[in-house]
Amino acid sequence: MTLHPWWKIFPGRLRQELRALRDIGVRYEVDRQAFTEEHLKLKLEVRVGESTHRLTAEYPDTYPYFRVDVEAPDLSLNVHQNPFTKSLCLLGRRSENWYPSWTLAKLVRDQFPKLLAVASAPDRSAVSDLEERQGEPLTTFYPYTHDSVVLVDGAWRIPTDLPGGWIEVGVQSLRGQAFRGTVINVCDSQRGVVASAPDGLGRLPTKQVTWFRWTRHSDFIVETDPNSLFGVVGDADPRVRPFIWQQLEGRILNLTGILMQEEVLPGSRADAWVFVLREAPVGSKKKMGTPRPAREKTRLVQGQRAGSADMAQRTPETAFLQEKKVSIVGLGCVGSGVALELAKSGCASLLLADWDAVDAGQIVRWPLGLKAAGRQKSEALAGFINVNWPYSTAAPLTFRVGHNPTNDTSIVKLADLVLDCSAEVGVQRYLAGICRKEGKTLIMASTTPGARGGTVTCVRSGPGEPCFHCFELHQDDGFIPDPPQDNNGMFQPVGCADPTFTGASFDTMEISLMAARTAVSELAGGQKGKYPEFPWNVAVLSLRSSGGEALPPSWEVRRCKRHPACGENHGQ
């Protein structure tokens, strides 16, 4: 299929664009070479007040769905301009800020004068109504090496009068041009520690721990070439020039940390880390045995904020989970999904109990894929969580619940809340008894044959709360509806000792997500500022109608009370 330029797809639009520029008195020149290649680039002369500004405008091939990029090559503004490409931020970054009916002339007439006013204002708060309230961290414009990062803690407060020193770096991986690591300690020139990585980052597995130099730079460095950028840093702080070379996996490397301040929120500045990674060919030496760096291998690595507060700010209602411990029994498609959601939400500790190993056939609805086949579910899942969500410590428990009362009781005692995702009624009843004795809440989550529905039940242990048997009675008398199921949705996979159900992962995940929400809501306890309290204790999911037609996920909820026919002691 031949793709046509936008002015042929939208006849008359090009004439409209150029006429609109003439109407507001903007002189323009079309880049003829680009136009023959079916791209539109314009050179503009725009008058604002007593000044005339030279701008360039490049229309995207997807115009008018997306905005024109406008550059000001003669301007160096401290805000709302890419310091390297000179592109102007005439609108907020989100595509919703642009309307396809708008023209370049509208941008130039309405937005460019506002941008100049903001950039020249001695007090930006006085012109805050002219700009979108968003910080402009300039280090995001650097051309960083692909698949590379050095993790730091955004909560660090390095003294501003400290010019530099040493960093202790744990190297996680070094593959091709890619480098991944974590700053474990930031030290002064005498290696006195001034900041340390939080426990979560410090526990990340590393291949090697080594020392490099860091320096503080006063201003943003307008250089995209890593060698030139390092040259600026070296001129400002000659202490980083004697390179501290380290041999990592047979390669000779040097990493230099650069600390500079930038705007992170409107009117608020904070430290940002950028790293220059230099490499020398093995066997390359200068005088006195110092390796010679290869300029073509010098690269920039982004420092990313990965402290616990950096992550919690995206999910403020679940920040309290950093002090909670949850036990999960049963790590099949439902339980594994719950575990991952709680880890993402920052739950401090997860006890993961399952005696089974991952079968290759299970990966169609198990999260870790074929690489986990043959491994114990609890160990594979715990290892994955500990590496990827360092502020959640997952402990694997590879035993069958119901065989050792001491182990089973410890699962309950050590946790603030217990989740049963085993779909085994006997296990549920057994754990419910232990939880009631220990004063803990049990949440049960399971799907149905065909994954056409499921149930999430919250069994609390407070005085007067319904017990496990109460919920059974409520289900028997119809107060709790039965979730839909496929009567032919059970089968025995070849080679497996037990039958299992049919159903897709994207359907069973609905139960996992509701179980995770219920757990977080229960742990929040209705406290202000935390995840809201659920006024129900049973939620029943329907994904299919009685005739098997697909439905959008629909939940029926019930608030069950003590059943009058239950003879159990409910603590009243």
Side-chain angles (χ1 to χ4, degrees):
M1 183 178 72
T2 302
L3 296 178
H4 298 290
W6 58 266
W7 55 85
K8 292 184 179 180
I9 298 173
F10 302 97
R13 183 62 190 257
L14 178 55
R15 289 193 298 273
Q16 177 189 356
E17 288 286 327
L18 299 181
R19 184 173 59 249
L21 288 172
R22 292 193 296 269
D23 288 347
I24 64 171
V26 172
R27 299 177 60 183
Y28 64 84
E29 178 185 341
V30 177
D31 185 326
R32 295 297 175 183
Q33 178 60 38
F35 196 73
T36 60
E37 297 171 357
E38 299 189 327
H39 300 291
L40 182 61
K41 296 181 181 180
L42 303 177
K43 295 180 180 179
L44 311 175
E45 289 184 5
V46 180
R47 189 169 183 83
V48 178
E50 299 299 318
S51 301
T52 298
H53 300 276
R54 186 171 64 92
L55 306 179
T56 61
E58 182 171 356
Y59 287 74
D61 294 338
T62 51
Y63 193 77
Y65 296 108
F66 298 96
R67 73 190 73 181
V68 188
D69 180 52
V70 180
E71 299 176 0
D74 298 333
L75 296 178
S76 294
L77 307 178
N78 60 348
V79 292
H80 302 314
Q81 185 181 35
N82 185 312
F84 304 121
T85 67
K86 300 297 185 176
S87 178
L88 299 174
C89 301
L90 296 173
L91 296 171
R93 293 188 181 187
R94 295 181 63 85
S95 60
E96 65 190 23
N97 292 309
W98 165 262
Y99 292 90
S101 60
W102 288 0
T103 62
L104 169 62
K106 178 176 176 58
L107 279 184
V108 170
R109 180 194 65 200
D110 296 350
Q111 301 299 110
F112 185 50
K114 294 178 184 177
L115 186 150
L116 293 176
V118 171
S120 61
D123 180 9
R124 283 178 62 189
S125 64
V127 291
S128 60
D129 59 324
L130 299 180
E131 63 177 337
E132 187 174 283
R133 297 298 291 162
Q134 179 176 317
E136 292 191 328
L138 293 179
T139 58
T140 60
F141 291 115
Y142 280 127
Y144 295 110
T145 300
H146 179 68
D147 197 25
S148 298
V149 70
V150 176
L151 302 177
V152 301
D153 186 356
W156 287 341
R157 296 295 179 264
I158 311 299
T160 55
D161 59 350
L162 189 63
W166 297 89
I167 48 175
E168 186 181 19
V169 178
V171 180
Q172 271 92 51
S173 67
L174 181 61
R175 186 173 61 252
Q177 292 289 301
F179 178 93
R180 304 180 73 85
T182 300
V183 175
I184 299 172
N185 285 304
V186 181
C187 302
D188 59 22
S189 59
Q190 303 301 313
R191 301 203 184 190
V193 176
V194 296
S196 296
D199 290 342
L201 290 184
R203 287 196 304 267
L204 289 175
T206 58
K207 294 184 176 181
Q208 187 171 332
V209 177
T210 190
W211 291 88
F212 297 106
R213 285 276 192 182
W214 74 272
T215 182
R216 182 181 286 279
H217 197 77
S218 57
D219 301 309
F220 178 78
I221 305 170
V222 188
E223 292 285 354
T224 57
D225 175 64
N227 291 288
S228 300
L229 189 148
F230 187 84
V232 173
V233 171
D235 290 343
D237 185 358
R239 289 171 299 182
V240 302
R241 286 203 174 277
F243 305 133
I244 307 301
W245 296 101
Q246 300 290 347
Q247 189 156 342
L248 302 172
E249 298 187 5
R251 297 162 66 178
I252 302 175
L253 300 173
N254 166 251
L255 185 74
T256 302
I258 305 166
L259 190 61
M260 62 184 81
Q261 288 228 327
E262 65 180 359
E263 185 182 59
V264 292
L265 295 171
S268 176
R269 299 176 64 81
D271 283 339
W273 286 90
V274 175
F275 297 86
V276 178
L277 183 65
R278 295 163 69 80
E279 184 170 356
V282 176
S284 169
K285 290 189 176 183
K286 291 175 63 179
K287 294 180 181 179
M288 306 299 294
T290 303
R292 182 188 299 274
R295 292 184 61 84
E296 68 276 7
K297 291 188 176 183
T298 301
R299 46 207 186 269
L300 293 180
V301 179
Q302 186 177 27
Q304 291 191 3
R305 300 170 179 88
S308 59
D310 299 313
M311 298 182 183
Q313 65 182 345
R314 287 174 169 80
T315 57
E317 289 186 330
T318 68
F320 73 93
L321 291 176
Q322 294 176 359
E323 300 176 352
K324 298 297 181 180
K325 179 179 287 190
V326 173
S327 291
I328 303 176
V329 176
L331 301 173
C333 60
V334 173
S336 58
V338 175
L340 291 178
E341 291 305 315
L342 291 178
K344 294 175 192 177
S345 299
C347 188
S349 181
L350 296 169
L351 299 176
L352 306 179
D354 198 309
W355 62 275
D356 198 10
V358 180
D359 186 272
Q362 295 172 346
I363 66 168
V364 294
R365 55 186 184 219
W366 211 71
L368 302 192
L370 195 59
K371 190 175 182 180
R375 298 188 62 192
Q376 292 297 125
K377 289 181 178 178
S378 60
E379 293 177 352
L381 198 60
F384 185 77
I385 288 172
N386 289 334
V387 168
N388 289 283
W389 292 280
Y391 301 108
S392 289
T393 302
L397 304 174
T398 55
F399 57 79
R400 190 193 293 266
V401 172
H403 286 223
N404 186 316
T406 301
N407 289 341
D408 303 336
T409 301
S410 69
I411 291 175
V412 176
K413 280 188 172 183
L414 294 174
D416 297 299
L417 178 144
V418 180
L419 278 138
D420 176 90
C421 303
S422 68
E424 290 280 354
V425 174
V427 175
Q428 293 171 346
R429 183 181 292 113
Y430 174 60
L431 287 175
I434 301 176
C435 285
R436 181 164 287 272
K437 180 181 177 182
E438 298 296 333
K440 302 294 177 66
T441 293
L442 173 68
I443 294 173
M444 304 176 295
S446 60
T447 187
T448 61
R452 295 187 174 187
T455 305
V456 177
T457 305
C458 182
V459 187
R460 301 182 179 97
S461 298
E465 292 286 350
C467 67
F468 180 85
H469 187 48
C470 289
F471 287 99
E472 288 184 307
L473 293 171
H474 281 301
Q475 190 163 21
D476 290 343
D477 63 22
F479 180 67
I480 300 176
D482 291 326
Q485 66 175 29
D486 181 357
N487 293 330
N488 297 312
M490 294 294 293
F491 80 108
Q492 185 172 2
V494 176
C496 289
D498 296 301
T500 187
F501 66 94
T502 61
S505 175
F506 51 73
D507 283 333
T508 62
M509 273 303 296
E510 294 289 344
I511 296 102
S512 300
L513 295 173
M514 179 58 87
R517 292 188 194 101
T518 305
V520 175
S521 175
E522 188 68 15
L523 290 167
Q527 296 183 36
K528 186 177 180 181
K530 297 182 180 179
Y531 197 77
E533 186 176 15
F534 288 175
W536 61 83
N537 52 16
V538 178
V540 180
L541 172 68
S542 294
L543 294 169
R544 302 288 183 93
S545 69
S546 57
E549 294 85 3
L551 298 173
S554 174
W555 290 93
E556 286 187 72
V557 297
R558 298 288 188 271
R559 179 66 176 96
C560 294
K561 298 181 179 180
R562 175 182 175 181
H563 198 282
C566 181
E568 296 288 336
N569 179 2
H570 295 82
Q572 288 183 316

